[in-house]
Amino acid sequence: VLADAPPPIEVEVTETQVHFSRDFDAAPVQPWQAEVLEVPVDSRHVQREEGLFDSPGLWVDRWHIDVEGVRQTLIFTHAITPVDGRTTEHRWRVSRSFATGPAATGTMRPIFTRYYRQVAEELEVMQTVVDTDGVTREVNTQADSAILQVRRIMRHLAEG
C-alpha cells in the first residue's frame, strides 16, 4: 500500500471513544488480497483504514478496499478485558464483507493466525519491560492522544 510515508491519520477523541481513519491513494494490494478479491495482482485500489475504540473493552478496525466502485471490507474485532494489574485477556476475530467461501478462509486464516500470535508475543515482551522497569510517566503529544485516551478508559474499567 505504501510507496512513500503513510497518509496523515485523522483522530477523534471523546470522553468514552477514540476513532481514527486515513485514506490511501490507489495502490496494488498484497498477493493474498488479490487472490481473495479476485483481481489482478498489479491492479490498483483506493484503500481506507479506520478504527474505533467503541466502548471499554471493544476495539473494531476496518480495512476497506474499493474494487470497481464496491467497498470490500476486512473487519478486525478485539474484545479486551483487564484481568488484573498486569494481565489482559484479548479475544480477536477477523471477518469480511467479501469472498465468504472456504477457499478465501483457507487463504486468510493462517495469515491472521500468524499475525495475532506475533502480536501476543510482542505484548508479552512489552509487559515484561513494564514488570522489569516499572510504569514510566506518559508523555502527552498529539500523536499519542488516541492511545492515551484508550489507556485512561481501560484503566478506569480495570479499577472499577
Side-chain angles (χ1 to χ4, degrees), residues 8-68:
I9 190 166
E10 301 289 328
V11 178
E12 179 184 334
V13 178
T14 70
E15 195 64 32
T16 59
Q17 295 182 327
V18 177
H19 177 264
F20 76 88
S21 63
R22 61 178 153 185
D23 296 302
F24 294 82
D25 293 333
V29 294
Q30 294 295 312
W32 68 266
Q33 291 172 311
E35 178 184 336
V36 298
L37 289 166
E38 299 178 347
V39 299
V41 174
D42 60 349
S43 61
R44 301 174 67 78
H45 304 277
V46 171
Q47 299 178 51
R48 178 178 177 82
E49 176 188 20
E50 61 183 338
L52 176 66
F53 187 76
D54 190 39
S55 65
L58 182 64
W59 182 275
V60 181
D61 286 317
R62 289 179 173 80
W63 190 272
H64 307 288
I65 303 170
D66 290 336
V67 178
E68 298 177 8

